[in-house]
Amino acid sequence: MSLHAAERKLGWGLLAPALLWTLAFFVLPFLAMLALSFAHMEGRAIVQGFDPGNYIRAFTDWSQLKALINSVEITVTVTVISVVLAWPLAAIIAWRVPQRFQRLALLMAVLPFWTSYVVRSYSWLLVLGKNGVINKALMGTGLISEPLALASTRTATVIGFVHFFVMLLTLTIYANLIQLSPNYARAAQDLGAGDWATFVHVILPLTLPGVITGAFVTFVLCIGDYITPQILGGNAELTLPQLIMLQMGRSGNFPMASALSVVLMAVVTLAYAACSRWLRLDRL
Amino acid sequence: MRLLSWAYLAAAYAFVFLPVVVLVVFSFQDGRLPVPPFQGFSLQWYDKILGNGALMTALWHSALVAFVSSALALVMGFLAAHALARVRLPGSVLLRGLLIAPMTVSYLIIALGLLTTFNQAGISLSLWTAGIGHVVINLPLCFAIAYAAMGDHQKNAERAARDLGATEAQVLWHVSAPMLAPALAAAFFLSVTFSWDEFIIAFLLTRFDVTLPVEIWSMLRSGLSPATNAVGSLVFLVSVSAVVLMEIFLFRRPK
């Protein structure tokens, strides 16, 4: 056996555990789910076969399609608001906060990351609920006489999500900003650009990789999340993950749940294709 | 402009901290509801949850599954990263993509796929099936961190060790692993955090031996309670201490 062949054999040997694990517990389950999505229900029994009915239903049955639309609307809203709020925050930390406090400032900004995800949504309920902090404060000052219905609304879901993803985006945009040389801005101003023109045409485009990377991660995590819409949005309007859980739990309709999951994956893949040009996932 | 910046910063931190502060403050509530008005300081809820057997068992399950699944993910991820960084294998770009792929898939879908597979294979659900799911989500993370950390510097040291007669196992254990220690520790720490806090996989893939997030979820069903606040505050305290310790011991750069 040549040295080269021996080395290859060793390489495959070292790779084998991770590869087999991924094949057995990721690829195979995905294929099983894909196959199941073409099955259908007869009573409570699952009948295997090649039936695209679940997919047709996902796009034609309004109660199913509505969940997809809700999910996309909420996710896009959250992503846009988070980017708009996170950009100035990252810029202030990068440009105004003295260098030696920047790490501390970032660490503090992401501190709530370290609470339990379930508990974080719950604690927004304490803030937004009927007897919550906001309603009590507003009623205490006499601004309103009846409590506002903040919890169990789409607004609550969006607030809960934005709270989480502003932190994430601040990190990716900050990482991008501190790599920018101040010379770009100086060059633009020497060439006669005003502050606004420098910002729009020079600084903003240069932070696009950080923005897009953060926005993509936000999109993926947000659209696939069950916890936040379930706790904060309630059952008033369902998102896709809520509908998937409902199909599985209440009706035991695993084929429909599988089809909806494949749709969810397709949406994420589309989002990936849309921003793959700027994505630097390896730099996260 | 300067004043505006500081005002924005203050508002941002207020927004970030508001729910956390409310959570912690009302865990000390001397009353039945964790909402204003604050009725006085009491530790009764902490007393109550520390004496709650189901909760403590769930805590133990979470710790167990977090450490075991992270250790497995770290070892497999490290070996795979070593193989792909060192040895020329056919289709290595594809292999790398395959190992990273689970990162881009929602946890719910990974859980649903595994649930389908376990059901069809007749495997009954337990803490270990949830652990399998946690290795699936943490393996790409460990692999990516280890792979990114491997540079030419290590390559030369490894080659030197091999030339001096070290076996591959000795190279891995005595040269590569110690040189990558900070990255490997960070990967392990992140994995533990993700697994510890993971809800949906644990929810769908366990039956009786549930983890802490699943137990907290079932506490939520009975409505608002300062007991839930107390659990949340304790989890927060533990995580923050871990982050501070990591910051001090692992990420401090020599000045």
Side-chain angles (χ1 to χ4, degrees), chain B residues 5 13 92 99 124 157-158 161 186-187 215 220 254:
Chain B
S5 296
Y13 279 115
S92 62
L99 289 179
S124 57
E158 285 164 8
E215 188 62 32
L220 294 187

Side-chain angles (χ1 to χ4, degrees), chain A:
Chain A
M1 199 158 61
S2 73
L3 195 63
H4 197 67
E7 202 169 62
R8 267 198 185 177
K9 206 174 155 197
L10 182 75
W12 284 113
L14 291 172
L15 197 57
L19 204 57
L20 291 178
W21 194 282
T22 307
L23 289 174
F25 299 120
F26 176 71
V27 178
L28 185 72
F30 175 69
L31 295 176
M33 203 179 76
L34 198 63
L36 193 59
S37 71
F38 288 103
H40 65 275
M41 301 290 288
E42 276 173 18
R44 310 232 6 124
I46 295 167
V47 181
Q48 299 284 355
F50 190 82
D51 178 4
N54 291 323
Y55 290 99
I56 295 172
R57 204 179 139 205
F59 288 102
T60 52
D61 182 344
W62 180 241
S63 63
Q64 316 285 314
L65 182 61
K66 186 75 180 108
L68 174 62
I69 296 172
N70 286 340
S71 273
V72 172
E73 278 174 2
I74 289 174
T75 303
V76 170
T77 313
V78 166
T79 308
V80 170
I81 295 179
S82 301
V83 169
V84 170
L85 290 179
W87 209 99
L89 184 59
I92 291 168
I93 294 177
W95 294 335
R96 301 270 177 194
V97 174
Q99 191 124 40
R100 61 203 179 101
F101 293 121
Q102 287 188 3
R103 211 179 151 76
L104 182 68
L106 282 176
L107 212 60
M108 270 171 60
V110 299
L111 208 58
F113 257 131
W114 306 105
T115 57
S116 148
Y117 193 90
V118 174
V119 172
R120 188 186 14 252
S121 295
Y122 163 81
S123 47
W124 271 109
L125 216 52
L126 304 178
V127 175
L128 301 171
K130 201 171 161 209
N131 297 311
V133 174
I134 289 185
N135 272 323
K136 283 281 168 69
L138 288 177
M139 279 160 69
T141 56
L143 277 170
I144 53 171
S145 54
E146 287 291 304
L148 302 171
L150 294 168
S152 298
T153 60
R154 179 183 285 205
T155 313
T157 305
V158 171
I159 291 176
F161 271 136
V162 166
H163 180 242
F164 188 72
F165 292 116
V166 160
M167 299 185 274
L168 185 100
L169 274 154
T170 304
L171 283 184
T172 62
I173 298 173
Y174 170 86
N176 206 183
L177 277 174
I178 51 161
Q179 286 169 0
L180 291 190
S181 155
N183 290 338
Y184 291 118
R186 273 183 218 139
Q189 304 206 309
D190 284 350
L191 293 168
D195 283 344
W196 179 246
T198 308
F199 176 73
V200 172
H201 296 295
V202 180
I203 305 291
L204 211 52
L206 283 170
T207 61
L208 215 54
V211 170
I212 301 278
T213 305
F216 175 70
V217 175
T218 301
F219 190 94
V220 173
L221 294 179
C222 185
I223 203 161
D225 185 37
Y226 168 71
I227 300 170
T228 304
Q230 181 67 21
I231 294 181
L232 289 171
N235 289 317
E237 48 169 20
L238 295 179
T239 61
L240 203 48
Q242 284 177 292
L243 183 63
I244 292 172
M245 291 292 281
L246 214 62
Q247 290 288 3
M248 252 193 306
R250 193 171 294 170
S251 40
N253 192 342
F254 277 83
M256 190 68 213
S258 302
L260 292 170
S261 300
V262 175
V263 171
L264 182 60
M265 263 184 92
V267 174
V268 171
T269 310
L270 278 179
Y272 178 78
C275 47
S276 60
R277 246 185 84 192
W278 299 281
L279 272 183
R280 296 281 182 277
L281 286 181
D282 49 325
R283 273 211 243 135
L284 263 184

Side-chain angles (χ1 to χ4, degrees), chain B residues 32-46:
Chain B
R32 300 276 307 274
L33 281 176
V35 287
F38 190 66
Q39 292 165 335
F41 181 87
S42 155
L43 287 174
Q44 55 171 313
W45 299 106
Y46 286 92

